[in-house]
Amino acid sequence: MRVVNGAMLSATGGESFATLDMGVVDLWTGETRITKFGACSSFVVQGQKISRMTGEALPIGIMEQVYPAEKVLIMEEDDRILMMSDGVADLFATDDDVIRLIQKYRNDTPQMMAEMILQEAMDRQQYAPADDMTVLCVQLALRHPSRQYKKSIPA
């Protein structure tokens, strides 16, 4: 993150910036670190609980020293992280509007949840996006020992 921030500062002289939203999951322990630099809210769905993480930190590319907003949590099988670009988030009046959609689509696949939230945003924008529009929904899934995984062997 420091390298990207430094590169942006060098290239633009602090006149351009970018938000950054990142999640790293330790698949052995479930420990998850969500790191945000000025990005819009992300959501963590754990069972019936939906928690919101805001990106109160400054975006990268503005200052030499950057300090992210971070959250560390333990994720379990079927927990989800939902992240979106500001081109999507800005079309909802509040984070509660997004939470209502998460609740509505919580029993669908992560792909379907992301697509339906993006569809709702497109409907609100009347299919004329003014900004990039991205929604990412990831779900922690354990590899079940009963499944057979075959390595492909080159011929």
Side-chain angles (χ1 to χ4, degrees), residues 1 7 20 23-24 29 32 35 52-53 56-57 66 79-80 102-103 116 123 129 133 138 151 153:
M1 290 180 277
L20 174 68
V24 178
T29 65
T32 303
T35 304
R52 174 179 66 104
M53 183 179 174
E56 296 160 352
V66 291
D79 289 351
R80 294 180 181 184
I102 292 169
Q103 290 168 332
M116 296 311 292
D123 289 348
M133 299 179 78
V138 294
K151 291 183 178 179
I153 301 171

Side-chain angles (χ1 to χ4, degrees), residues 2-143:
R2 284 189 290 265
V3 171
V4 172
N5 186 59
M8 287 191 66
L9 278 171
S10 296
T12 66
E15 294 184 20
S16 183
F17 63 89
T19 61
L20 174 68
D21 216 347
M22 181 173 63
V24 178
V25 180
D26 180 325
L27 296 177
W28 289 104
T29 65
E31 182 178 286
T32 303
R33 179 177 304 274
I34 299 173
T35 304
K36 303 176 81 56
F37 286 93
C40 55
S41 295
S42 295
F43 302 87
V44 178
V45 182
Q46 295 181 294
Q48 296 302 311
K49 181 181 174 192
I50 301 172
S51 51
R52 174 179 66 104
M53 183 179 174
T54 59
E56 296 160 352
L58 290 173
I60 58 174
I62 295 177
M63 302 175 64
E64 278 189 43
Q65 296 295 322
V66 291
Y67 303 98
E70 288 189 308
K71 181 175 187 171
V72 178
L73 57 122
I74 301 297
M75 291 190 64
E76 297 179 2
E77 186 172 18
D78 296 330
D79 289 351
R80 294 180 181 184
I81 299 173
L82 182 90
M83 297 176 172
M84 65 190 75
S85 64
D86 59 348
V88 173
D90 290 348
L91 296 173
F92 297 100
T94 67
D95 286 346
D96 289 338
D97 290 340
V98 177
I99 289 171
R100 280 190 280 283
L101 287 174
I102 292 169
Q103 290 168 332
K104 182 176 180 179
Y105 299 112
R106 77 177 329 129
N107 293 323
D108 290 323
T109 65
Q111 179 70 37
M112 182 61 73
M113 180 183 279
E115 287 177 7
M116 296 311 292
I117 291 171
L118 181 60
Q119 181 67 47
E120 178 68 28
M122 291 292 291
D123 289 348
R124 291 170 183 233
Q125 189 68 23
Q126 299 175 344
Y127 295 89
D131 196 356
D132 65 292
M133 299 179 78
T134 304
V135 179
L136 171 72
C137 182
V138 294
Q139 178 174 320
L140 187 64
L142 300 178
R143 186 170 122 181

